[in-house]
């Protein structure tokens, strides 16, 4: 995975890092402009606004990752401050998207759980199964309505919070800092050194932190699929994989499709885990009908099995087989 | 799998089939005697009675299988009648055991779903998971109590029905027929022919029926794990596998461990499917608390995933790989 790269072996760190940050800053500003064109203060944002926010968040994550991994080549006080502010912004903007994704995932799962057509042939032995599906159907419809109500409300609140954040003086300071970054990067003296040293070493450390985290992942725990407390090391691996991917993009100039696949599996893992939590949380709504609670229980278990499936997918996509199976 | 067998290539069909049926009839009568020694009319039968009933059912299934597969070598009217009566008896005796197994499986699953210890380290990000498990814990205890009540009642009724059956004149007629079978088998004239023809051909047909049923099993249907109507071909494959196993025992004189493993996977499949149905059925109890219904929903989904796991186990254990994957 660590193939030598001509550009970084002959250039200074500044000559690699500065253009990367310029480009990401330009993407950020473009996303911001598009968002302002497409969003209205009352609606929950159309597809154009959604796309603009996604671009904005993607650039913010990459800038933040570079500030973190290559801190030694940058003005450290500036880097730490901007990173904190970008984390606040990304988190605020991510929430609306997360609620929308979660609702979509849960409604889709409910549909699959209850909506498949029954075959024409029916015998006595099969009627119990049919009854189960009918019972699930009634509860599933009510559970879907409940989830839609809860998550749409949460999404609307997140949308307002995002709009409020984008209008705040705190955001304007971030936008100014990124606008400056589009033309000028506050570098440390070390950035004058060769990229092969100044950038490769921190990138290697980011990779090693990821490898250690993956090696320490708990082994398959099919006996305990509902132990949500065990998700944390997986969520941590997801963040470290992202930092490694971004650091690799800076050093090698291109994304690694294998890492993209493994990262996708960990994104699915996070989505399924959060959807399971949302189903369980909806089931704690006071005075819901037992059929609704039942469907939410089925849904919770289904999403926890999706969590397990995402772990298996990650293990399958992960190139360092020995490190994972030895854990 | 069809290795030649010295005994059956040189003997008559009668010389192979009659000792087999004598032996199974003797096992049946031994089981019956043990059952009478161990059972009391009031209790739901101790471990001794359970073991005796298991031996009795096992012999009844094998006799019934031989009567079915090797009908051409036997007095057909007698064989058909005894087979019907043995099916009635096995069915009646199996029910008590099935309810006990189902309850054990469901309580074990509930325990695993809710009982795993939380790790000591807890952060804000983990507390949602903890809450889910706590909520599941309350509902799981009530769901367990509900299932215990329902299935214990069903088991007690099945026990009474079994005792009533064992005291009936219908049962005494079956016992008499099996007692006769322990010394004398009503054979057809064809039984004088060589075992290599008279027994091998029907055994081969039993195998072919199984192969056809397995080849026709629907492909992996992970998108529709709750479509219980799709279980029927699997249940059918289980019965055909049993008939093939028993026919093979008659012809080759010994069980095939590969078939035993595949049969075990289909037994698990049946148990998980029935446990899922029991969970769904308990969830239709009027006036249960939402938390109870929720836990039953989780349990239902969990057992449906066990159904999927048993299918994967069967596919893994099945020796005719091409036939399964080509379906």
């Amino acid at each position: 995975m660590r193939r030598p790269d001509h550009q970084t072996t002959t250039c200074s760190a500044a000559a690699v890092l500065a253009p990367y940050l310029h480009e990401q800053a330009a993407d950020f500003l473009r996303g911001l402009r598009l968002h302002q064109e497409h969003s209205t203060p009352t609606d929950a944002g159309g597809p154009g606004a959604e796309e603009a926010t996604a671009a904005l968040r993607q650039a913010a994550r990459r800038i933040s990752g570079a500030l973190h991994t290559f801190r030694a080549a940058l003005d450290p006080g500036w880097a730490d401050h901007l990173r904190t502010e970008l984390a606040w912004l990304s988190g605020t903007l991510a929430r609306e998207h997360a609620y929308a994704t979660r609702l979509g995932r849960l409604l889709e799962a409910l549909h699959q759980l209850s909506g498949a057509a029954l075959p024409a042939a029916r015998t006595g032995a099969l009627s119990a199964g049919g009854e189960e599906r009918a019972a699930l159907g009634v509860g599933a419809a009510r559970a879907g309505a409940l989830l839609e109500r809860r998550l749409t409300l949460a999404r609307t609140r997140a949308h307002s919070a995002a709009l409020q954040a984008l209008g705040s003086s705190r955001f304007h300071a971030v936008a100014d800092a990124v606008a400056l970054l589009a033309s000028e990067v506050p570098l440390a003296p070390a950035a004058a050194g060769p990229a092969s040293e100044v950038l490769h070493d921190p990138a290697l450390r980011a990779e090693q932190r990821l490898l250690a985290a993956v090696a320490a992942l708990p082994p398959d725990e099919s006996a305990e699929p509902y132990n949500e407390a065990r998700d944390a090391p997986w969520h941590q691996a997801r963040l470290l994989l992202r930092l490694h991917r971004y650091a690799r993009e800076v050093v090698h100039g291109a994304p690694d499709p294998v890492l993209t696949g493994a990262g996708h599996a960990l994104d699915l893992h996070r989505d399924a885990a959060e959807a399971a939590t949302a189903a369980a949380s909806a089931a704690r709504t006071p005075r819901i009908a037992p059929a609704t609670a039942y469907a939410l229980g089925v849904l919770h278990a289904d999403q926890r099995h999706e969590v397990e499936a995402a772990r298996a997918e990650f293990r399958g996509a992960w190139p360092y087989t020995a490190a994972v199976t030895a854990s």
Side-chain angles (χ1 to χ4, degrees), chain A:
Chain A
M1 251 163 81
R2 287 189 296 281
R3 57 185 156 79
D5 187 278
H6 278 287
Q7 191 199 10
T8 59
T9 47
T10 54
C11 292
S12 73
V16 173
L17 192 54
Y20 178 86
L21 285 171
H22 290 328
E23 198 187 323
Q24 298 302 330
D27 283 354
F28 181 99
L29 297 171
R30 200 175 305 120
L32 179 59
R33 208 161 41 243
L34 273 173
H35 187 272
Q36 282 162 345
E37 282 167 20
H38 284 100
S39 64
T40 62
T42 49
D43 285 354
E50 251 179 61
E51 222 171 280
T53 313
L56 211 159
R57 284 172 45 225
Q58 184 174 309
R61 284 199 305 265
R62 280 179 167 75
I63 296 169
S64 186
L67 299 183
H68 176 74
T69 304
F70 305 111
R71 186 174 180 273
L74 298 161
D75 175 335
W78 166 83
D80 290 348
H81 178 71
L82 182 53
R83 200 153 65 83
T84 307
E85 294 305 287
L86 287 172
W88 160 73
L89 181 63
S90 301
T92 306
L93 297 182
R95 228 155 280 144
E96 180 182 355
H97 177 68
Y99 287 124
T101 309
R102 205 167 300 159
L103 179 60
R105 167 180 267 272
L106 287 166
L107 293 184
E108 169 73 22
L110 272 175
H111 180 74
Q112 283 202 342
L113 296 179
S114 62
L118 285 169
R122 294 289 297 276
T123 71
L126 297 183
S127 65
E131 271 173 48
E132 275 162 46
R133 293 171 60 70
L136 189 54
V138 171
R142 298 176 74 164
L146 175 61
L147 288 167
E148 191 144 19
R149 216 154 51 232
R150 288 171 61 96
L151 290 171
T152 303
L153 179 65
R155 189 193 171 181
T156 306
R157 282 187 183 148
H159 181 68
S160 305
L163 284 187
Q164 206 177 346
L166 291 175
S168 69
S169 58
R170 184 174 180 184
F171 172 73
H172 287 299
V174 182
D176 287 349
V178 175
L180 194 69
L181 189 61
S183 57
E184 196 191 321
V185 177
L187 294 162
S196 58
E197 286 171 21
V198 180
L199 301 185
H200 277 203
D201 283 0
L204 192 60
R205 278 198 295 280
E207 181 174 20
Q208 283 166 343
R209 274 194 297 273
L210 168 64
L211 293 180
V214 172
L217 285 174
D220 272 346
E221 47 207 309
S222 48
E224 281 194 43
Y226 301 94
N227 196 338
E228 280 89 352
R230 288 223 185 173
D231 296 350
W234 290 89
H235 295 327
Q236 180 66 9
R238 178 177 159 272
L239 298 179
L240 291 174
L241 176 61
R242 202 160 75 182
L243 281 175
H244 169 52
R245 268 173 58 217
Y246 292 163
R248 221 187 154 282
E249 279 179 32
V250 173
V251 173
H252 295 279
D256 179 336
V258 171
L259 289 179
T260 307
H264 180 68
L266 293 180
D267 288 347
L268 283 181
H269 178 275
R270 191 259 330 254
D271 289 350
E274 291 186 344
T277 302
S281 161
R284 288 192 292 274
T285 308
R287 288 179 300 283
I288 54 171
T292 312
Y294 176 73
L296 289 169
V298 171
L299 190 57
H300 173 68
D302 185 71
Q303 291 301 305
R304 288 308 303 175
H305 280 278
E306 292 289 315
V307 167
E308 300 293 305
R311 291 181 189 178
E313 191 182 323
F314 172 76
R315 292 192 200 275
W318 184 244
Y320 305 86
T321 320
V324 179
T325 54
S327 76

